[in-house]
Every structure is written in C-alpha cells, then in structure tokens.
Amino acid sequence: MSAAFVRMETLPPRAAPFAATGLWGWFARRLFATPADIAMTIIGFAAFVLVAMPLFRFLVFDAIWTGKDRDACLNAAGACWPFVAAKLNQFVYGFYPYEELWRPNLVFFVGALLLIPLLIPSAPFKRFNAFLFFGIYPVAGFVLLTGGNLDPQRFLLGRFVRIPEFIDLSAIARFIGVSGHVELGSRGGFRGTFWIDFIASAILLTGAVAIIARLFGTRFVTSLKAMAIVFVSLALIIAPVDADFGLRWVETREWGGLLVTLVVAITGIVAALPIGVLLALGRRSQMRLVRWTSIVFIEFWRGVPLITVLFFATYMLPLFLPGGASIERLVRALIGVALFSGAYMAEVVRGGLAAVPKHQYESAAALGLGYWKTMGLIVLPQALTHVIPGIVNNFIGLFKDTTLVQIVAILDLLGQVRSAFSDPNWSSPTTLYTGFAFAGMIYFVFCFAMSRYSLFLEHRAGSNALRVEGAMR
Amino acid sequence: MTDPAMSSDVVAVEMTGVNKWFGAFHVLRDIDLTVARKERIVICGPSGSGKSTLIRCINRLEEHQSGRIVVDGIELTSDLRSIDAVRADAGMVFQQFNLFPHLSVLENCTLAQIWVRGRPKAEAEEVAMKFLTRVRIPEQANKYPAQLSGGQQQRVAIARALCMNPKIMLFDEPTSALDPEMIKEVLDTIRSLADDGMTMLIVTHEMGFARQVADRIIFMDEGQIIEANRPEEFFSNPRHERTKRFLSQILP
C-alpha cells in the first residue's frame, strides 16, 4: 500500500465470535476462564451447598408445620412453625387489645398505601402524597394507635411546669410540652379552657417575637406571618389529639412486636434526615456560634452509645425534670433515637455537601439566589444524590438498632419473640431457633427491601452522575 | 478614563480606587473604570493579571477591600439586599458553564425567574423558550446539561442569564473551555447580543472577536489597568511597553 489511502466504502458490521455470546460464552468467561477461576467456582459451589442445604432442611424439610402445642415439636429436628403461628399476633402487635387490632392494621395499611406511590418516582401527585404522609399520617396514626383525647391542659401546664393558667410566661416550656411531654390517659373530650389559653399565649408570644425581630430589622408582617404559621400548625396538630373520637385508650405499655419496631424505626428515619441536613449545614456555616453548636451536638451524640442514651432517657431524665413531670417512655425512646440518628446522618450529608463543587454555589449566587434557596434548590438536591448509599446504609443500621429499646423494657419484634420463649406450652428443642429464624427473616425482608430501593435510586441517579461529569467537562 | 460629562443614568458600572487582596497578594490595584450603558468592553491580559477577579467584583462574587463599586446606581457594600439586587441585574457567564446538572435545560432557565423574580411558572417557561430560541437551541429544552456539547451548554448558560433580563452581562472567559469547533457558535451568540445594545464586560483571549465587538479594550497586568483604548488604536498603535510585548506574543 502506498502512503496515501482513501477508504472507498464503509465496512459492514459482522457478528461477534460464538464464544463471546450466549450461555456457553457466559460460562466460559465468568466461571471457567482460568484454572484459578475453575478452582474458585468449585470451592464456591461447595460452600454454598454446605451452608444452604442444612438451612433449607431445617427451615423446610425437617420442619413441623402443624400442631396445637409443644407436643407436636418435641421430637422435631427442624423448625417448629406452629409456635410462630400461635404467637403471630403477639409478634406483630405485642399485647395490643385483640378487639382493637383493626387500629394498628388500619395504620399499617394506610401507611403502605401512602408510602408505595411516594417511592415510585413516576407516580403522580407527589407533593400532595408527601403532605399526606409527612403531615397528616403521623397525627392520624398517633390518634388511632393511642386513642387520642389527651388533656393538653393537664400535661402542658398543670403537670409539666405548674404555673397558673392565663399567666403564661413560659410558652417555650409549653412548646417542649407539646412535642415531648405526652402525659397520656386523661379523658374528657374537647377542652375550652386550654384553647382560650392557647390563643391568648399565641397572641402574646407573636407580639413579643415581632417586636424583638423588628429590633433586628425584620419587618412586622414577616414575623407575624411566620408566627401565625407556627401556631396554626401547632393548633392543627393538637386539635385532633385533643378531640374525643370515642376510641378506647391503649397505653404504649401494651404495644409491642413489629408495631413498635416500625414506629421507632420510621420515626427515627423520618426525623433523621431533616435533623441531619440542618446539622450538616450548621457545621459548614460561616457563623461561629451555629458552627460550634452543631459540632458539639454532633460529636456528643456520636460519642455516646445508643444504649446509654436510651438508659439515660428512661431512668435518669425523670430525676432531673420538675416534680411530677414525666415524658411517656416510648416518646422518650423515640426522641433519643431521632437525635442519635440525626447526628449520624449529619456527617453523611456533610460528605455530600463537600462533593458539590464551589462553582455551583457561585452560579446560584450570580443569579441572585440567597442562602436557603441556593441550598434547597441547587446544593442539597445534588449533595443528597451523591450520598444515597450512605443515607440508606444509616437507615438500615437504624432499623436494626431499634432492638436496643429492649434495654428500657420496650418489647420490639425481637424482644417479643424472646419473651415468647418463656411460654412453657411451647418449650421444645427447636423453639428458640425457630423464633430467631423468624425474626431474622422479618428483619431481612425490610432491610433487603431498603437496600434494593437504594440501588434503584442510585441507578436512576446514575444518569445524574453522567450529567455532573458532563457539566464540568 | 472617566468622562466627567457622563451623568448617572448613562453609567452602568463605576469603579473608583478599587483594591483587593487575596491574603497578602495584592490582586487588584487602584482600579478606576467607568462603563457606559450599551458599552462593550473587552478585558485582556496574561493569566494571573486580575481580569477575572475584576469582573467578579462587579457582582460581588469577590469582595473588594477598598474603593467604591457602583452598579446601576447601587453601591456594593456588605448589605445583603444591595448585593442581591445587583446580582439579579447582572447576568454572568462562566468559563466552565456552571449549569445545574440536576435540572433540565428549561429548568435551569426558569429556576431563578421563579424564585428570585417571582414569575409564575408558565410565564417563566415562555421567557425561557424565547431566549433558548434566541441562542438557537429551543429543541434541547428538555435535555439535561450533560447531554449537550460544550458549545450548547455555554449557549444555555447565556440564555439562563438573559432570562433574568439583566442590565449588564459579565462574561468570564466564555470560550476558554471549548473545543475550537464550538467557539464560533458561542461568539456569534455574544456578538448578536452586542448588536442589540447590551452592556457587556467580556474577559477573553479571542483577539479577533475583541477587535470586532469591543467599544473599548482594557489591557491588565499585575492587577492594574495598563492601557485602555478603542480596538483599532489598541491593536495598531499600542503605547505601553507591556502591551506591545503581550500583543507581539499572541498575534501572528
């Protein structure tokens, strides 16, 4: 061929060689490509058989499937499934009164109904759906599960701070009361005095805040609007909890099993992300006070084991609160779990924030976007996408950590399973293993589902990663 | 350089005695510059001469430590409201495009309109489509930035800035990150803006473009304005030694 070359026609594409395609190609390339591969394949297959076969035999072939009490399982070499069947209600609901089981069932059902479309990206009405799930559902769930009809007057003022009605100087204390101090069990329908008092203190506090904010240069209208939003939403939360729907009161002492596991885990998961985002932003703030407060908060919660937190909240906190005040024990555990997981989440989110390049902040600023709009519209959507695996990792860890509430005598799924072992009617050689296997499978289903969903989100964001690369090219 | 006959409503940007330091490094030294409305200014100079810093001071992406900068009658101080007001009126185009990768082209263009200007979504989209048509890529509106070529991304960035109806446009080396084949499409877009009478400050190394578009060329070195002149004069008859050396190196 001479040095000059000009192609006169385009070559047509040809089929790939046989060994590269089809089932045979797959085996040849993936399993038996080299002697080392062949050895690994054989060892792996052997290990699988050695582990999986006994497990399968225990759970299925040698298992007892029917029976009324321990007699059926006395000579069993496999799992004793009648035990699980007999205790299933207890595993799922704890000692929730039998005739009221429709209430947790309804909560489960509605929760799934709202959650599933929320998780499917293409489902319509996302905003309305999110409002229902994060705004309405928690209050409705609370009323349904506990029975509602609390006495806000009694647990906010009479019990918690013991100050006379109408002379209300400690609206902050009452605010804490609303969110934390749930003194349960008093009955009696809608309370007029409380609402008069609520409106009076709303007006007082709004005025005070507006005047103080004015001194710092915020316009009256702005602070009035903000305070109105706070108090109206508070009222919207308290009103249904105060109203009498004729539901029987069910103390949290009677709750248990999967119900408690889900309540603790979902509260923790839903609370962790906003707390974590605020702490992460705080830690990167230019304002020294905000930055240091965030650092101290994060490091404190990360430095203390969850067991200690729960233990402290349950047994020591009541000693520090003013006389007679007590926060309901499940609520105590919920607050502990939420703050704890929020601090962990903060560090994950901070990693994501660090991955958003500086020029994104600059171009947002150049368009006139302020701090919160830049964060909410530009930086956080990118930062959170970067750390989906880390976030879901935290969620999965949290879901399993909820079993630690056993330490403060709250029986979650695992605790309920363990307490069932002591039933002499069902004591058999394999009861213990069956119970743990069952609990393990339930945990696995939830954690695996979360893990898969996280992968799905990552794949969706995979095109996103491409986008980032492209935009920086 | 300042023409005393200019009244405030014909002045777009006025910088008087502006100084800036990065740590101990004196990056801008006694900058005096008045930009009239509809004036097109090209700033050139060797790298590290402070040209980018200068235009980034105009919308306060960089803070100056002494001197006065007045943009469109608003003086830039540490008052956040004046900064936001200036930024909303001064569009900026960056070397690296800096589109928001998680948003579509259309959303890139409507976001600031909706959240800063408070326009309804439908109107914002109408405005966005108008300017995307203007930069000749309306058909890419629903794609994401990574799916576009560099030249297309830069044109989206220009459209995004124009959607805010800016009174001034700042270009920070808009073609430096582009392949040679794409430079022309971006320069043509900027040129058409110039023809419409937009006030512009452009930092660029494209001397042919500068010659065609600029009303005035400013040459900077070591944080100072060395020479400013009409393009014909600047290229044919540079006065300062440093300018002559610079031009002899970059012109064929």
Side-chain angles (χ1 to χ4, degrees):
Chain A
M1 199 190 291
S2 66
F5 168 76
V6 178
R7 183 173 295 289
M8 300 310 286
E9 62 206 29
T10 309
L11 296 176
R14 283 178 297 246
F18 177 65
T21 57
L23 193 62
W24 171 245
W26 190 87
F27 271 108
R29 272 180 296 118
R30 304 289 180 91
L31 299 178
F32 305 108
T34 64
D37 279 4
I38 295 171
M40 298 269 273
T41 303
I42 292 172
I43 293 171
F45 188 70
F48 173 76
V49 170
L50 281 176
V51 174
M53 285 318 288
L55 195 66
F56 204 58
R57 214 178 305 135
F58 176 84
L59 291 177
V60 182
F61 292 130
D62 293 347
I64 307 295
W65 293 92
T66 53
K68 286 202 166 60
D69 56 20
R70 63 191 291 256
D71 294 341
C73 299
L74 272 184
N75 299 314
C80 179
W81 293 123
F83 163 71
V84 172
K87 299 284 183 186
L88 193 60
N89 265 356
Q90 200 180 321
F91 291 168
V92 176
Y93 309 101
F95 298 104
Y96 207 93
Y98 185 76
E99 60 281 10
E100 303 288 340
L101 282 189
W102 63 272
R103 280 153 56 176
N105 281 337
L106 187 63
V107 171
F108 284 152
F109 178 71
V110 174
L113 206 66
L114 291 176
L115 186 60
I116 289 169
L118 200 60
L119 294 181
I120 300 173
S122 58
F125 311 117
K126 269 282 169 307
R127 208 169 285 197
F128 182 60
N129 197 166
F131 171 70
L132 286 181
F133 187 75
F134 294 107
I136 307 286
Y137 180 67
V139 179
F142 179 85
V143 171
L144 265 175
L145 288 176
T146 60
N149 196 9
L150 299 181
D151 181 354
Q153 185 75 54
R154 210 173 129 231
F155 77 72
L156 292 183
L157 299 172
R159 280 302 196 101
F160 190 60
V161 280
R162 290 185 183 284
I163 48 169
E165 295 164 25
F166 297 111
I167 311 170
D168 177 21
L169 296 174
S170 68
I172 296 168
R174 102 204 320 256
F175 183 77
I176 295 166
V178 173
S179 50
H181 177 80
V182 185
E183 165 80 31
L184 306 174
S186 56
R187 324 296 299 160
F190 205 72
R191 286 132 189 116
T193 37
F194 169 78
W195 287 103
I196 295 169
D197 195 38
F198 181 86
I199 292 166
S201 34
I203 293 170
L204 268 177
L205 196 67
T206 305
V209 168
I211 290 168
I212 294 171
R214 187 74 197 81
L215 295 178
F216 288 99
T218 311
R219 290 190 322 171
F220 271 121
V221 187
T222 319
S223 34
L224 288 186
K225 249 189 224 164
M227 292 305 283
I229 291 173
V230 169
F231 278 108
V232 169
S233 24
L234 263 183
L236 287 177
I237 293 172
I238 300 174
V241 174
D242 179 31
D244 186 356
F245 292 101
L247 292 172
R248 196 189 128 187
W249 183 252
V250 182
E251 269 189 277
T252 56
R253 197 173 307 144
E254 297 172 85
W255 304 15
L258 188 60
L259 175 64
V260 161
T261 298
L262 288 178
V263 166
V264 177
I266 291 177
T267 312
I269 285 172
V270 170
L273 201 55
I275 294 176
V277 165
L278 286 179
L279 285 174
L281 292 178
R283 197 167 183 164
R284 289 165 63 89
S285 169
Q286 306 276 334
M287 289 179 272
R288 221 168 274 174
L289 183 68
V290 174
R291 185 168 66 244
W292 280 101
T293 312
S294 308
I295 291 177
V296 168
F297 187 91
I298 292 170
E299 296 305 335
F300 171 79
W301 289 99
R302 291 209 306 166
V304 179
L306 182 54
I307 290 190
T308 316
V309 172
L310 294 173
F311 208 77
F312 182 88
T314 304
Y315 298 113
M316 315 237 337
L317 199 58
L319 302 179
F320 297 115
L321 290 177
S326 77
I327 299 174
E328 210 281 328
R329 62 186 194 125
L330 185 60
V331 175
R332 279 191 300 234
L334 287 180
I335 294 173
V337 167
L339 294 180
F340 188 83
S341 49
Y344 270 86
M345 190 57 72
E347 289 298 279
V348 176
V349 174
R350 195 164 66 96
L353 289 175
V356 177
K358 185 168 160 256
H359 63 63
Q360 289 287 311
Y361 294 82
E362 281 181 356
S363 56
L367 286 166
L369 292 164
Y371 177 82
W372 289 107
K373 286 173 186 166
T374 301
M375 287 301 161
L377 299 166
I378 308 298
V379 177
L380 279 172
Q382 297 181 53
L384 294 180
T385 316
H386 286 313
V387 290
I388 290 171
I391 292 176
V392 177
N393 201 25
N394 263 19
F395 287 168
I396 291 175
L398 173 63
F399 189 86
K400 291 183 290 186
D401 278 351
T402 55
T403 58
L404 291 175
V405 296
Q406 284 174 61
I407 205 82
V408 290
I410 298 170
L411 290 185
D412 73 324
L413 174 60
L414 191 66
Q416 207 65 252
V417 168
R418 285 174 52 178
S419 79
F421 294 155
S422 56
D423 183 353
N425 285 332
W426 283 102
S427 89
S428 79
T430 59
T431 302
L432 193 70
Y433 307 118
T434 310
F436 282 128
F438 175 73
M441 284 191 282
I442 300 287
Y443 279 107
F444 181 79
V445 165
F446 279 97
C447 294
F448 188 65
M450 280 195 267
S451 161
R452 296 309 297 185
Y453 185 68
S454 146
L455 271 181
F456 163 73
L457 277 188
E458 270 177 69
H459 278 295
R460 243 176 72 84
S463 49
N464 218 330
L466 250 176
R467 285 178 219 158
V468 174
E469 217 170 86
M472 292 194 302
R473 184 176 47 200
Chain B
M1 217 170 315
T2 309
D3 184 348
M6 284 179 172
S7 75
S8 69
D9 50 293
V10 293
V11 175
V13 179
E14 185 163 23
M15 304 174 91
T16 355
V18 172
N19 278 283
K20 173 166 181 64
W21 289 262
F22 283 133
F25 179 60
H26 198 172
V27 62
L28 290 182
R29 308 180 192 175
D30 290 335
I31 301 290
D32 289 305
L33 175 64
T34 304
V35 182
R37 284 202 195 285
K38 303 199 172 185
E39 194 176 14
R40 282 125 23 187
I41 290 190
V42 165
I43 304 172
C44 61
S47 51
S49 59
K51 0 181 244 305
S52 288
T53 310
L54 188 145
I55 69 165
R56 285 161 63 90
C57 279
I58 294 173
N59 65 354
R60 196 127 171 142
L61 287 184
E62 304 289 353
E63 198 175 319
H64 60 284
Q65 276 112 12
S66 74
R68 263 166 60 89
I69 302 179
V70 180
V71 182
D72 198 36
I74 304 166
E75 177 166 4
L76 277 170
T77 59
S78 53
D79 176 24
L80 290 176
R81 269 172 237 186
S82 72
I83 295 174
D84 284 343
V86 165
R87 282 176 177 169
D89 277 348
M92 188 163 207
V93 175
F94 299 85
Q95 181 177 352
Q96 298 292 340
F97 331 139
N98 297 6
L99 295 178
F100 304 129
H102 61 300
L103 300 176
S104 71
V105 164
L106 187 64
E107 288 164 337
N108 262 280
C109 293
T110 55
L111 182 116
Q113 294 188 63
I114 294 170
W115 292 93
V116 178
R117 291 274 191 247
R119 285 182 193 149
K121 192 170 173 227
E123 188 194 332
E125 284 180 354
E126 203 176 301
V127 173
M129 287 314 293
K130 185 179 108 192
F131 285 110
L132 285 173
T133 311
R134 170 88 204 261
V135 299
R136 300 186 316 281
I137 38 173
E139 72 283 357
Q140 312 284 2
N142 292 314
K143 289 196 180 166
Y144 283 88
Q147 295 167 296
L148 307 184
S149 73
Q152 289 173 322
Q153 289 192 48
Q154 193 61 298
R155 284 188 279 151
V156 172
I158 294 171
R160 179 176 73 175
L162 291 177
C163 283
M164 297 291 283
N165 305 110
K167 294 177 179 150
I168 303 161
M169 284 290 286
L170 308 170
F171 293 89
D172 188 2
E173 303 201 26
T175 57
S176 298
L178 294 175
D179 294 340
E181 287 178 82
M182 295 165 183
I183 291 178
K184 185 173 176 298
E185 63 186 55
V186 171
L187 290 185
D188 285 346
T189 308
I190 300 175
R191 194 175 288 127
S192 84
L193 273 181
D195 294 342
D196 285 2
M198 174 69 78
T199 311
M200 302 199 291
L201 281 95
I202 308 166
V203 174
T204 186
H205 297 296
E206 299 290 330
M207 286 303 134
F209 170 76
R211 195 194 292 263
Q212 294 168 3
V213 169
D215 293 321
R216 192 151 44 121
I217 296 189
I218 287 174
F219 175 69
M220 288 184 72
D221 191 27
E222 296 183 322
Q224 308 156 76
I225 295 179
I226 303 286
E227 191 165 342
N229 214 334
R230 285 179 294 114
E232 316 85 75
E233 283 290 304
F234 180 83
F235 286 108
S236 60
N237 186 20
R239 292 183 209 153
H240 197 285
E241 246 346 274
R242 186 69 190 84
T243 319
K244 287 177 189 162
R245 207 155 12 109
F246 178 75
L247 288 177
S248 72
Q249 273 161 4
I250 61 163
L251 294 179

